[in-house]
Amino acid sequence: MQSVQTEPIATSADTHRQVQIAQNTQQMAEYLTPAFFPDHPDHVADCRILDMKYEVGEYCTLPYQLGPRMVIGTFRWGEVEGELPASARLIEPLGMQVYSFEQDPALPGLATALDPRRIRAALAEALPEYRDGGRELLSVRARPLRYRPGKRCTMRFDLLERDAAGALARRTLYGKAYHQLGKASSVFHEMQMLSDTDAVRSGRAILAPVVAFLPDLMLVMQGPIEGESLEMLLEGLQGNVTAGDPRGWAGVVRSAGALAAVHTSGAATDRERPIDKELKRFVKRASQAATATPDRLSLHSEGWQTWQEIRISSVLVPGSTSSP
């Protein structure tokens, strides 16, 4: 297996076969294990799909949990934004590029965030309670929760600290790494701005507190908020269903009230979000749908079923503390 950055032009039948194989975790385990665990040739690592981003005729990207590691597999059939890392390797029989997720070139802060020694030093400098000597940061361990290749990654950070009296305590923070410094900076300042609105001060909306911004890592750090994940309470509440967990209904109503409070708070930003790019993408997808053939529709149906199974079986944010 060798590092390459180009792939042969694929036909519609090729892409159909490639995506089908990519969703077969048993086959993918056999492809991926030798690439990422070369010292264990007789062992096939457990493999499961964490997510799937698929643009017909353009690309398909799947993050896999491969044993203890998260790896990315991607097909690129058209013009796709962003570069692959230099470490990307081609699985030749499949035409898939693969790499470790922490090597995502669009998220340069990932490698540091996931390195216990380097992220401890970075947080000890960024957080005033450690920088001023009030508390000592002893260790930090990061765990990815949600990841969108080339865009962002939300992580949970478990900290061990010691106060001036020598007492040990544990602390949890959340951080989101971004692919653009401007985006990370805007998020940090806008969260600060929102926290000072009447909607938040009155308790109508509760936001995870922003505690630090690490520009070198394009990483925004936030504290935890107590509660339950609303997503987990919404199963079975689709369509006209009136049964289900009453906490789900109550959560939707409360969330709607909080969202309305934020949008009527008067907070404003000068950050522009042009709609041109989104409109072009919608037009492109509509054109693809208009030319869909039965075999392509079958593939889409299979892909949707697989995604539904992934979504239901993968709980990415465990516990009762929600991430920002």
Side-chain angles (χ1 to χ4, degrees), residues 1 3 25 30 44 58 69 90 97 100 105 123 127 134 148 158 181 183 186 213 215 220 268 279 291 302 316-317:
M1 190 173 295
S3 296
T25 54
E30 295 174 357
V44 177
E58 296 295 329
R69 301 184 63 173
L90 178 67
Q97 298 275 7
S100 296
L123 291 180
L127 296 170
R148 184 179 177 189
D158 293 308
L181 178 59
K183 177 66 178 292
S186 294
F213 174 43
V220 178
L279 287 176
T291 60
E302 293 166 6
L316 297 181
V317 187

mmCIF file with all atom_site columns, all heavy atoms in Angstrom, residues 1 3 25 30 44 58 69 90 97 100 105 123 127 134 148 158 181 183 186 213 215 220 268 279 291 302 316-317:
data_model
loop_
_atom_site.group_PDB
_atom_site.id
_atom_site.type_symbol
_atom_site.label_atom_id
_atom_site.label_alt_id
_atom_site.label_comp_id
_atom_site.label_asym_id
_atom_site.label_entity_id
_atom_site.label_seq_id
_atom_site.pdbx_PDB_ins_code
_atom_site.Cartn_x
_atom_site.Cartn_y
_atom_site.Cartn_z
_atom_site.occupancy
_atom_site.B_iso_or_equiv
_atom_site.pdbx_formal_charge
_atom_site.auth_seq_id
_atom_site.auth_comp_id
_atom_site.auth_asym_id
_atom_site.auth_atom_id
_atom_site.pdbx_PDB_model_num
ATOM 1   N N   . MET A 1 1   ? 0.848   -1.183  0.000   1.00 0.00 ? 1   MET A N   1
ATOM 2   C CA  . MET A 1 1   ? 0.000   0.000   0.000   1.00 0.00 ? 1   MET A CA  1
ATOM 3   C C   . MET A 1 1   ? 0.885   1.235   0.000   1.00 0.00 ? 1   MET A C   1
ATOM 4   O O   . MET A 1 1   ? 1.848   1.316   0.754   1.00 0.00 ? 1   MET A O   1
ATOM 5   C CB  . MET A 1 1   ? -0.889  -0.013  1.247   1.00 0.00 ? 1   MET A CB  1
ATOM 6   C CG  . MET A 1 1   ? -1.963  1.044   1.236   1.00 0.00 ? 1   MET A CG  1
ATOM 7   S SD  . MET A 1 1   ? -3.083  0.824   2.637   1.00 0.00 ? 1   MET A SD  1
ATOM 8   C CE  . MET A 1 1   ? -3.831  -0.738  2.230   1.00 0.00 ? 1   MET A CE  1
ATOM 9   N N   . SER A 1 3   ? 1.315   5.748   -0.540  1.00 0.00 ? 3   SER A N   1
ATOM 10  C CA  . SER A 1 3   ? 0.655   7.043   -0.446  1.00 0.00 ? 3   SER A CA  1
ATOM 11  C C   . SER A 1 3   ? 0.511   7.638   -1.827  1.00 0.00 ? 3   SER A C   1
ATOM 12  O O   . SER A 1 3   ? 1.489   7.782   -2.554  1.00 0.00 ? 3   SER A O   1
ATOM 13  C CB  . SER A 1 3   ? 1.480   7.994   0.431   1.00 0.00 ? 3   SER A CB  1
ATOM 14  O OG  . SER A 1 3   ? 1.539   7.506   1.745   1.00 0.00 ? 3   SER A OG  1
ATOM 15  N N   . THR A 1 25  ? -18.865 -3.469  7.066   1.00 0.00 ? 25  THR A N   1
ATOM 16  C CA  . THR A 1 25  ? -17.813 -3.306  8.073   1.00 0.00 ? 25  THR A CA  1
ATOM 17  C C   . THR A 1 25  ? -16.878 -4.512  8.159   1.00 0.00 ? 25  THR A C   1
ATOM 18  O O   . THR A 1 25  ? -15.706 -4.361  8.507   1.00 0.00 ? 25  THR A O   1
ATOM 19  C CB  . THR A 1 25  ? -18.428 -3.034  9.452   1.00 0.00 ? 25  THR A CB  1
ATOM 20  O OG1 . THR A 1 25  ? -19.376 -4.065  9.773   1.00 0.00 ? 25  THR A OG1 1
ATOM 21  C CG2 . THR A 1 25  ? -19.137 -1.685  9.468   1.00 0.00 ? 25  THR A CG2 1
ATOM 22  N N   . GLU A 1 30  ? -11.099 -5.932  7.106   1.00 0.00 ? 30  GLU A N   1
ATOM 23  C CA  . GLU A 1 30  ? -10.022 -6.682  6.459   1.00 0.00 ? 30  GLU A CA  1
ATOM 24  C C   . GLU A 1 30  ? -9.128  -5.767  5.627   1.00 0.00 ? 30  GLU A C   1
ATOM 25  O O   . GLU A 1 30  ? -7.924  -6.011  5.497   1.00 0.00 ? 30  GLU A O   1
ATOM 26  C CB  . GLU A 1 30  ? -10.627 -7.784  5.590   1.00 0.00 ? 30  GLU A CB  1
ATOM 27  C CG  . GLU A 1 30  ? -11.364 -8.843  6.415   1.00 0.00 ? 30  GLU A CG  1
ATOM 28  C CD  . GLU A 1 30  ? -12.085 -9.867  5.550   1.00 0.00 ? 30  GLU A CD  1
ATOM 29  O OE1 . GLU A 1 30  ? -12.050 -9.707  4.304   1.00 0.00 ? 30  GLU A OE1 1
ATOM 30  O OE2 . GLU A 1 30  ? -12.671 -10.806 6.108   1.00 0.00 ? 30  GLU A OE2 1
ATOM 31  N N   . VAL A 1 44  ? -7.767  -9.178  13.065  1.00 0.00 ? 44  VAL A N   1
ATOM 32  C CA  . VAL A 1 44  ? -8.648  -8.259  12.345  1.00 0.00 ? 44  VAL A CA  1
ATOM 33  C C   . VAL A 1 44  ? -9.397  -7.428  13.380  1.00 0.00 ? 44  VAL A C   1
ATOM 34  O O   . VAL A 1 44  ? -10.134 -7.965  14.213  1.00 0.00 ? 44  VAL A O   1
ATOM 35  C CB  . VAL A 1 44  ? -9.651  -9.012  11.449  1.00 0.00 ? 44  VAL A CB  1
ATOM 36  C CG1 . VAL A 1 44  ? -10.602 -8.026  10.768  1.00 0.00 ? 44  VAL A CG1 1
ATOM 37  C CG2 . VAL A 1 44  ? -8.908  -9.834  10.399  1.00 0.00 ? 44  VAL A CG2 1
ATOM 38  N N   . GLU A 1 58  ? -19.611 12.954  -6.497  1.00 0.00 ? 58  GLU A N   1
ATOM 39  C CA  . GLU A 1 58  ? -18.579 13.869  -6.011  1.00 0.00 ? 58  GLU A CA  1
ATOM 40  C C   . GLU A 1 58  ? -17.657 13.193  -4.989  1.00 0.00 ? 58  GLU A C   1
ATOM 41  O O   . GLU A 1 58  ? -16.460 13.100  -5.194  1.00 0.00 ? 58  GLU A O   1
ATOM 42  C CB  . GLU A 1 58  ? -19.222 15.114  -5.389  1.00 0.00 ? 58  GLU A CB  1
ATOM 43  C CG  . GLU A 1 58  ? -20.016 15.953  -6.382  1.00 0.00 ? 58  GLU A CG  1
ATOM 44  C CD  . GLU A 1 58  ? -19.139 16.572  -7.451  1.00 0.00 ? 58  GLU A CD  1
ATOM 45  O OE1 . GLU A 1 58  ? -17.966 16.862  -7.152  1.00 0.00 ? 58  GLU A OE1 1
ATOM 46  O OE2 . GLU A 1 58  ? -19.622 16.763  -8.582  1.00 0.00 ? 58  GLU A OE2 1
ATOM 47  N N   . ARG A 1 69  ? -8.866  3.026   17.412  1.00 0.00 ? 69  ARG A N   1
ATOM 48  C CA  . ARG A 1 69  ? -8.554  4.189   16.588  1.00 0.00 ? 69  ARG A CA  1
ATOM 49  C C   . ARG A 1 69  ? -9.752  4.617   15.751  1.00 0.00 ? 69  ARG A C   1
ATOM 50  O O   . ARG A 1 69  ? -10.605 3.808   15.397  1.00 0.00 ? 69  ARG A O   1
ATOM 51  C CB  . ARG A 1 69  ? -7.378  3.882   15.650  1.00 0.00 ? 69  ARG A CB  1
ATOM 52  C CG  . ARG A 1 69  ? -6.104  3.490   16.364  1.00 0.00 ? 69  ARG A CG  1
ATOM 53  C CD  . ARG A 1 69  ? -4.966  3.289   15.392  1.00 0.00 ? 69  ARG A CD  1
ATOM 54  N NE  . ARG A 1 69  ? -4.623  4.517   14.678  1.00 0.00 ? 69  ARG A NE  1
ATOM 55  C CZ  . ARG A 1 69  ? -3.570  4.634   13.875  1.00 0.00 ? 69  ARG A CZ  1
ATOM 56  N NH1 . ARG A 1 69  ? -2.771  3.594   13.684  1.00 0.00 ? 69  ARG A NH1 1
ATOM 57  N NH2 . ARG A 1 69  ? -3.310  5.774   13.268  1.00 0.00 ? 69  ARG A NH2 1
ATOM 58  N N   . LEU A 1 90  ? -3.778  4.777   -0.329  1.00 0.00 ? 90  LEU A N   1
ATOM 59  C CA  . LEU A 1 90  ? -4.809  4.272   -1.219  1.00 0.00 ? 90  LEU A CA  1
ATOM 60  C C   . LEU A 1 90  ? -4.983  2.772   -1.036  1.00 0.00 ? 90  LEU A C   1
ATOM 61  O O   . LEU A 1 90  ? -4.022  2.008   -1.141  1.00 0.00 ? 90  LEU A O   1
ATOM 62  C CB  . LEU A 1 90  ? -4.439  4.575   -2.676  1.00 0.00 ? 90  LEU A CB  1
ATOM 63  C CG  . LEU A 1 90  ? -5.413  4.048   -3.743  1.00 0.00 ? 90  LEU A CG  1
ATOM 64  C CD1 . LEU A 1 90  ? -6.749  4.768   -3.651  1.00 0.00 ? 90  LEU A CD1 1
ATOM 65  C CD2 . LEU A 1 90  ? -4.806  4.203   -5.131  1.00 0.00 ? 90  LEU A CD2 1
ATOM 66  N N   . GLN A 1 97  ? -9.144  6.332   -0.312  1.00 0.00 ? 97  GLN A N   1
ATOM 67  C CA  . GLN A 1 97  ? -8.055  6.938   0.441   1.00 0.00 ? 97  GLN A CA  1
ATOM 68  C C   . GLN A 1 97  ? -8.373  6.831   1.933   1.00 0.00 ? 97  GLN A C   1
ATOM 69  O O   . GLN A 1 97  ? -9.508  7.090   2.353   1.00 0.00 ? 97  GLN A O   1
ATOM 70  C CB  . GLN A 1 97  ? -7.901  8.410   0.067   1.00 0.00 ? 97  GLN A CB  1
ATOM 71  C CG  . GLN A 1 97  ? -7.553  8.659   -1.386  1.00 0.00 ? 97  GLN A CG  1
ATOM 72  C CD  . GLN A 1 97  ? -6.058  8.568   -1.651  1.00 0.00 ? 97  GLN A CD  1
ATOM 73  O OE1 . GLN A 1 97  ? -5.287  8.193   -0.770  1.00 0.00 ? 97  GLN A OE1 1
ATOM 74  N NE2 . GLN A 1 97  ? -5.650  8.913   -2.857  1.00 0.00 ? 97  GLN A NE2 1
ATOM 75  N N   . SER A 1 100 ? -5.615  8.460   9.409   1.00 0.00 ? 100 SER A N   1
ATOM 76  C CA  . SER A 1 100 ? -6.039  8.623   10.798  1.00 0.00 ? 100 SER A CA  1
ATOM 77  C C   . SER A 1 100 ? -6.727  9.970   10.955  1.00 0.00 ? 100 SER A C   1
ATOM 78  O O   . SER A 1 100 ? -6.260  10.974  10.416  1.00 0.00 ? 100 SER A O   1
ATOM 79  C CB  . SER A 1 100 ? -4.837  8.555   11.744  1.00 0.00 ? 100 SER A CB  1
ATOM 80  O OG  . SER A 1 100 ? -4.241  7.277   11.701  1.00 0.00 ? 100 SER A OG  1
ATOM 81  N N   . PRO A 1 105 ? -5.817  17.502  7.680   1.00 0.00 ? 105 PRO A N   1
ATOM 82  C CA  . PRO A 1 105 ? -5.041  18.729  7.454   1.00 0.00 ? 105 PRO A CA  1
ATOM 83  C C   . PRO A 1 105 ? -5.843  20.002  7.663   1.00 0.00 ? 105 PRO A C   1
ATOM 84  O O   . PRO A 1 105 ? -5.272  21.067  7.891   1.00 0.00 ? 105 PRO A O   1
ATOM 85  C CB  . PRO A 1 105 ? -4.589  18.596  5.997   1.00 0.00 ? 105 PRO A CB  1
ATOM 86  C CG  . PRO A 1 105 ? -5.609  17.704  5.365   1.00 0.00 ? 105 PRO A CG  1
ATOM 87  C CD  . PRO A 1 105 ? -6.013  16.741  6.441   1.00 0.00 ? 105 PRO A CD  1
ATOM 88  N N   . LEU A 1 123 ? -3.648  24.179  27.768  1.00 0.00 ? 123 LEU A N   1
ATOM 89  C CA  . LEU A 1 123 ? -4.732  24.615  28.649  1.00 0.00 ? 123 LEU A CA  1
ATOM 90  C C   . LEU A 1 123 ? -4.194  25.292  29.907  1.00 0.00 ? 123 LEU A C   1
ATOM 91  O O   . LEU A 1 123 ? -4.819  26.220  30.434  1.00 0.00 ? 123 LEU A O   1
ATOM 92  C CB  . LEU A 1 123 ? -5.611  23.423  29.028  1.00 0.00 ? 123 LEU A CB  1
ATOM 93  C CG  . LEU A 1 123 ? -6.459  22.830  27.898  1.00 0.00 ? 123 LEU A CG  1
ATOM 94  C CD1 . LEU A 1 123 ? -7.289  21.655  28.415  1.00 0.00 ? 123 LEU A CD1 1
ATOM 95  C CD2 . LEU A 1 123 ? -7.369  23.890  27.280  1.00 0.00 ? 123 LEU A CD2 1
ATOM 96  N N   . LEU A 1 127 ? -6.050  28.894  30.435  1.00 0.00 ? 127 LEU A N   1
ATOM 97  C CA  . LEU A 1 127 ? -7.037  29.082  31.498  1.00 0.00 ? 127 LEU A CA  1
ATOM 98  C C   . LEU A 1 127 ? -6.413  29.842  32.669  1.00 0.00 ? 127 LEU A C   1
ATOM 99  O O   . LEU A 1 127 ? -5.404  29.404  33.229  1.00 0.00 ? 127 LEU A O   1
ATOM 100 C CB  . LEU A 1 127 ? -7.562  27.727  31.968  1.00 0.00 ? 127 LEU A CB  1
ATOM 101 C CG  . LEU A 1 127 ? -8.341  26.940  30.900  1.00 0.00 ? 127 LEU A CG  1
ATOM 102 C CD1 . LEU A 1 127 ? -8.600  25.521  31.360  1.00 0.00 ? 127 LEU A CD1 1
ATOM 103 C CD2 . LEU A 1 127 ? -9.654  27.643  30.581  1.00 0.00 ? 127 LEU A CD2 1
ATOM 104 N N   . GLY A 1 134 ? -3.445  29.530  40.877  1.00 0.00 ? 134 GLY A N   1
ATOM 105 C CA  . GLY A 1 134 ? -4.460  29.195  41.867  1.00 0.00 ? 134 GLY A CA  1
ATOM 106 C C   . GLY A 1 134 ? -4.699  27.695  41.957  1.00 0.00 ? 134 GLY A C   1
ATOM 107 O O   . GLY A 1 134 ? -4.974  27.158  43.031  1.00 0.00 ? 134 GLY A O   1
ATOM 108 N N   . ARG A 1 148 ? -16.711 16.020  11.923  1.00 0.00 ? 148 ARG A N   1
ATOM 109 C CA  . ARG A 1 148 ? -17.056 16.185  10.521  1.00 0.00 ? 148 ARG A CA  1
ATOM 110 C C   . ARG A 1 148 ? -15.758 16.420  9.762   1.00 0.00 ? 148 ARG A C   1
ATOM 111 O O   . ARG A 1 148 ? -15.142 17.486  9.894   1.00 0.00 ? 148 ARG A O   1
ATOM 112 C CB  . ARG A 1 148 ? -18.001 17.360  10.312  1.00 0.00 ? 148 ARG A CB  1
ATOM 113 C CG  . ARG A 1 148 ? -18.456 17.474  8.855   1.00 0.00 ? 148 ARG A CG  1
ATOM 114 C CD  . ARG A 1 148 ? -19.409 18.624  8.650   1.00 0.00 ? 148 ARG A CD  1
ATOM 115 N NE  . ARG A 1 148 ? -19.759 18.749  7.245   1.00 0.00 ? 148 ARG A NE  1
ATOM 116 C CZ  . ARG A 1 148 ? -20.429 19.765  6.734   1.00 0.00 ? 148 ARG A CZ  1
ATOM 117 N NH1 . ARG A 1 148 ? -20.833 20.748  7.532   1.00 0.00 ? 148 ARG A NH1 1
ATOM 118 N NH2 . ARG A 1 148 ? -20.697 19.812  5.453   1.00 0.00 ? 148 ARG A NH2 1
ATOM 119 N N   . ASP A 1 158 ? -11.242 15.563  29.897  1.00 0.00 ? 158 ASP A N   1
ATOM 120 C CA  . ASP A 1 158 ? -11.297 15.206  31.314  1.00 0.00 ? 158 ASP A CA  1
ATOM 121 C C   . ASP A 1 158 ? -10.003 15.656  31.972  1.00 0.00 ? 158 ASP A C   1
ATOM 122 O O   . ASP A 1 158 ? -8.908  15.195  31.612  1.00 0.00 ? 158 ASP A O   1
ATOM 123 C CB  . ASP A 1 158 ? -11.494 13.701  31.474  1.00 0.00 ? 158 ASP A CB  1
ATOM 124 C CG  . ASP A 1 158 ? -12.861 13.256  30.964  1.00 0.00 ? 158 ASP A CG  1
ATOM 125 O OD1 . ASP A 1 158 ? -13.863 13.849  31.392  1.00 0.00 ? 158 ASP A OD1 1
ATOM 126 O OD2 . ASP A 1 158 ? -12.916 12.336  30.127  1.00 0.00 ? 158 ASP A OD2 1
ATOM 127 N N   . LEU A 1 181 ? -9.606  29.833  11.210  1.00 0.00 ? 181 LEU A N   1
ATOM 128 C CA  . LEU A 1 181 ? -9.370  30.661  12.387  1.00 0.00 ? 181 LEU A CA  1
ATOM 129 C C   . LEU A 1 181 ? -10.473 31.704  12.540  1.00 0.00 ? 181 LEU A C   1
ATOM 130 O O   . LEU A 1 181 ? -10.940 31.965  13.659  1.00 0.00 ? 181 LEU A O   1
ATOM 131 C CB  . LEU A 1 181 ? -8.003  31.346  12.278  1.00 0.00 ? 181 LEU A CB  1
ATOM 132 C CG  . LEU A 1 181 ? -7.637  32.292  13.428  1.00 0.00 ? 181 LEU A CG  1
ATOM 133 C CD1 . LEU A 1 181 ? -7.640  31.561  14.764  1.00 0.00 ? 181 LEU A CD1 1
ATOM 134 C CD2 . LEU A 1 181 ? -6.267  32.936  13.169  1.00 0.00 ? 181 LEU A CD2 1
ATOM 135 N N   . LYS A 1 183 ? -13.585 31.509  11.659  1.00 0.00 ? 183 LYS A N   1
ATOM 136 C CA  . LYS A 1 183 ? -14.801 30.876  12.162  1.00 0.00 ? 183 LYS A CA  1
ATOM 137 C C   . LYS A 1 183 ? -14.682 30.611  13.663  1.00 0.00 ? 183 LYS A C   1
ATOM 138 O O   . LYS A 1 183 ? -15.611 30.896  14.433  1.00 0.00 ? 183 LYS A O   1
ATOM 139 C CB  . LYS A 1 183 ? -15.042 29.565  11.415  1.00 0.00 ? 183 LYS A CB  1
ATOM 140 C CG  . LYS A 1 183 ? -16.240 28.760  11.898  1.00 0.00 ? 183 LYS A CG  1
ATOM 141 C CD  . LYS A 1 183 ? -17.543 29.477  11.636  1.00 0.00 ? 183 LYS A CD  1
ATOM 142 C CE  . LYS A 1 183 ? -18.749 28.649  12.088  1.00 0.00 ? 183 LYS A CE  1
ATOM 143 N NZ  . LYS A 1 183 ? -18.949 27.435  11.279  1.00 0.00 ? 183 LYS A NZ  1
ATOM 144 N N   . SER A 1 186 ? -14.935 33.899  15.552  1.00 0.00 ? 186 SER A N   1
ATOM 145 C CA  . SER A 1 186 ? -16.307 34.413  15.548  1.00 0.00 ? 186 SER A CA  1
ATOM 146 C C   . SER A 1 186 ? -17.178 33.660  16.541  1.00 0.00 ? 186 SER A C   1
ATOM 147 O O   . SER A 1 186 ? -17.971 34.264  17.272  1.00 0.00 ? 186 SER A O   1
ATOM 148 C CB  . SER A 1 186 ? -16.902 34.308  14.142  1.00 0.00 ? 186 SER A CB  1
ATOM 149 O OG  . SER A 1 186 ? -16.234 35.156  13.241  1.00 0.00 ? 186 SER A OG  1
ATOM 150 N N   . PHE A 1 213 ? -10.222 30.484  24.471  1.00 0.00 ? 213 PHE A N   1
ATOM 151 C CA  . PHE A 1 213 ? -10.040 30.384  23.023  1.00 0.00 ? 213 PHE A CA  1
ATOM 152 C C   . PHE A 1 213 ? -8.553  30.188  22.764  1.00 0.00 ? 213 PHE A C   1
ATOM 153 O O   . PHE A 1 213 ? -7.723  30.983  23.212  1.00 0.00 ? 213 PHE A O   1
ATOM 154 C CB  . PHE A 1 213 ? -10.554 31.650  22.335  1.00 0.00 ? 213 PHE A CB  1
ATOM 155 C CG  . PHE A 1 213 ? -10.279 31.695  20.851  1.00 0.00 ? 213 PHE A CG  1
ATOM 156 C CD1 . PHE A 1 213 ? -10.467 30.573  20.052  1.00 0.00 ? 213 PHE A CD1 1
ATOM 157 C CD2 . PHE A 1 213 ? -9.842  32.867  20.248  1.00 0.00 ? 213 PHE A CD2 1
ATOM 158 C CE1 . PHE A 1 213 ? -10.218 30.610  18.688  1.00 0.00 ? 213 PHE A CE1 1
ATOM 159 C CE2 . PHE A 1 213 ? -9.599  32.921  18.884  1.00 0.00 ? 213 PHE A CE2 1
ATOM 160 C CZ  . PHE A 1 213 ? -9.784  31.793  18.102  1.00 0.00 ? 213 PHE A CZ  1
ATOM 161 N N   . PRO A 1 215 ? -6.250  30.216  19.820  1.00 0.00 ? 215 PRO A N   1
ATOM 162 C CA  . PRO A 1 215 ? -6.188  30.511  18.381  1.00 0.00 ? 215 PRO A CA  1
ATOM 163 C C   . PRO A 1 215 ? -5.200  29.643  17.609  1.00 0.00 ? 215 PRO A C   1
ATOM 164 O O   . PRO A 1 215 ? -5.449  29.305  16.449  1.00 0.00 ? 215 PRO A O   1
ATOM 165 C CB  . PRO A 1 215 ? -5.793  31.992  18.338  1.00 0.00 ? 215 PRO A CB  1
ATOM 166 C CG  . PRO A 1 215 ? -5.217  32.288  19.678  1.00 0.00 ? 215 PRO A CG  1
ATOM 167 C CD  . PRO A 1 215 ? -5.905  31.385  20.639  1.00 0.00 ? 215 PRO A CD  1
ATOM 168 N N   . VAL A 1 220 ? -12.138 26.297  20.523  1.00 0.00 ? 220 VAL A N   1
ATOM 169 C CA  . VAL A 1 220 ? -12.969 27.036  21.470  1.00 0.00 ? 220 VAL A CA  1
ATOM 170 C C   . VAL A 1 220 ? -13.342 26.091  22.602  1.00 0.00 ? 220 VAL A C   1
ATOM 171 O O   . VAL A 1 220 ? -13.878 25.001  22.361  1.00 0.00 ? 220 VAL A O   1
ATOM 172 C CB  . VAL A 1 220 ? -14.243 27.581  20.794  1.00 0.00 ? 220 VAL A CB  1
ATOM 173 C CG1 . VAL A 1 220 ? -15.127 28.302  21.815  1.00 0.00 ? 220 VAL A CG1 1
ATOM 174 C CG2 . VAL A 1 220 ? -13.879 28.528  19.650  1.00 0.00 ? 220 VAL A CG2 1
ATOM 175 N N   . ALA A 1 268 ? -26.465 40.807  17.573  1.00 0.00 ? 268 ALA A N   1
ATOM 176 C CA  . ALA A 1 268 ? -26.196 40.826  16.134  1.00 0.00 ? 268 ALA A CA  1
ATOM 177 C C   . ALA A 1 268 ? -24.703 40.727  15.899  1.00 0.00 ? 268 ALA A C   1
ATOM 178 O O   . ALA A 1 268 ? -23.896 41.122  16.739  1.00 0.00 ? 268 ALA A O   1
ATOM 179 C CB  . ALA A 1 268 ? -26.749 42.098  15.501  1.00 0.00 ? 268 ALA A CB  1
ATOM 180 N N   . LEU A 1 279 ? -27.045 27.607  -2.307  1.00 0.00 ? 279 LEU A N   1
ATOM 181 C CA  . LEU A 1 279 ? -27.999 27.533  -3.410  1.00 0.00 ? 279 LEU A CA  1
ATOM 182 C C   . LEU A 1 279 ? -27.445 26.704  -4.562  1.00 0.00 ? 279 LEU A C   1
ATOM 183 O O   . LEU A 1 279 ? -28.164 25.905  -5.175  1.00 0.00 ? 279 LEU A O   1
ATOM 184 C CB  . LEU A 1 279 ? -28.356 28.941  -3.894  1.00 0.00 ? 279 LEU A CB  1
ATOM 185 C CG  . LEU A 1 279 ? -29.266 29.764  -2.969  1.00 0.00 ? 279 LEU A CG  1
ATOM 186 C CD1 . LEU A 1 279 ? -29.447 31.168  -3.525  1.00 0.00 ? 279 LEU A CD1 1
ATOM 187 C CD2 . LEU A 1 279 ? -30.615 29.081  -2.799  1.00 0.00 ? 279 LEU A CD2 1
ATOM 188 N N   . THR A 1 291 ? -32.392 13.165  -12.561 1.00 0.00 ? 291 THR A N   1
ATOM 189 C CA  . THR A 1 291 ? -31.858 12.176  -13.505 1.00 0.00 ? 291 THR A CA  1
ATOM 190 C C   . THR A 1 291 ? -31.656 10.817  -12.854 1.00 0.00 ? 291 THR A C   1
ATOM 191 O O   . THR A 1 291 ? -30.978 9.959   -13.413 1.00 0.00 ? 291 THR A O   1
ATOM 192 C CB  . THR A 1 291 ? -30.515 12.667  -14.072 1.00 0.00 ? 291 THR A CB  1
ATOM 193 O OG1 . THR A 1 291 ? -29.586 12.851  -12.987 1.00 0.00 ? 291 THR A OG1 1
ATOM 194 C CG2 . THR A 1 291 ? -30.681 13.981  -14.821 1.00 0.00 ? 291 THR A CG2 1
ATOM 195 N N   . GLU A 1 302 ? -30.501 1.928   0.057   1.00 0.00 ? 302 GLU A N   1
ATOM 196 C CA  . GLU A 1 302 ? -29.616 1.114   0.883   1.00 0.00 ? 302 GLU A CA  1
ATOM 197 C C   . GLU A 1 302 ? -28.761 1.993   1.782   1.00 0.00 ? 302 GLU A C   1
ATOM 198 O O   . GLU A 1 302 ? -28.559 1.706   2.963   1.00 0.00 ? 302 GLU A O   1
ATOM 199 C CB  . GLU A 1 302 ? -28.715 0.265   -0.015  1.00 0.00 ? 302 GLU A CB  1
ATOM 200 C CG  . GLU A 1 302 ? -29.479 -0.793  -0.811  1.00 0.00 ? 302 GLU A CG  1
ATOM 201 C CD  . GLU A 1 302 ? -28.627 -1.378  -1.926  1.00 0.00 ? 302 GLU A CD  1
ATOM 202 O OE1 . GLU A 1 302 ? -27.433 -1.034  -1.991  1.00 0.00 ? 302 GLU A OE1 1
ATOM 203 O OE2 . GLU A 1 302 ? -29.150 -2.157  -2.726  1.00 0.00 ? 302 GLU A OE2 1
ATOM 204 N N   . LEU A 1 316 ? -23.000 9.051   20.499  1.00 0.00 ? 316 LEU A N   1
ATOM 205 C CA  . LEU A 1 316 ? -21.714 9.737   20.479  1.00 0.00 ? 316 LEU A CA  1
ATOM 206 C C   . LEU A 1 316 ? -21.474 10.589  21.714  1.00 0.00 ? 316 LEU A C   1
ATOM 207 O O   . LEU A 1 316 ? -20.353 10.955  22.009  1.00 0.00 ? 316 LEU A O   1
ATOM 208 C CB  . LEU A 1 316 ? -21.619 10.616  19.225  1.00 0.00 ? 316 LEU A CB  1
ATOM 209 C CG  . LEU A 1 316 ? -21.669 9.859   17.898  1.00 0.00 ? 316 LEU A CG  1
ATOM 210 C CD1 . LEU A 1 316 ? -21.552 10.844  16.747  1.00 0.00 ? 316 LEU A CD1 1
ATOM 211 C CD2 . LEU A 1 316 ? -20.559 8.838   17.819  1.00 0.00 ? 316 LEU A CD2 1
ATOM 212 N N   . VAL A 1 317 ? -22.543 10.948  22.441  1.00 0.00 ? 317 VAL A N   1
ATOM 213 C CA  . VAL A 1 317 ? -22.367 11.793  23.619  1.00 0.00 ? 317 VAL A CA  1
ATOM 214 C C   . VAL A 1 317 ? -22.987 11.088  24.816  1.00 0.00 ? 317 VAL A C   1
ATOM 215 O O   . VAL A 1 317 ? -24.159 11.259  25.113  1.00 0.00 ? 317 VAL A O   1
ATOM 216 C CB  . VAL A 1 317 ? -23.033 13.173  23.426  1.00 0.00 ? 317 VAL A CB  1
ATOM 217 C CG1 . VAL A 1 317 ? -22.694 14.091  24.593  1.00 0.00 ? 317 VAL A CG1 1
ATOM 218 C CG2 . VAL A 1 317 ? -22.561 13.805  22.127  1.00 0.00 ? 317 VAL A CG2 1
#
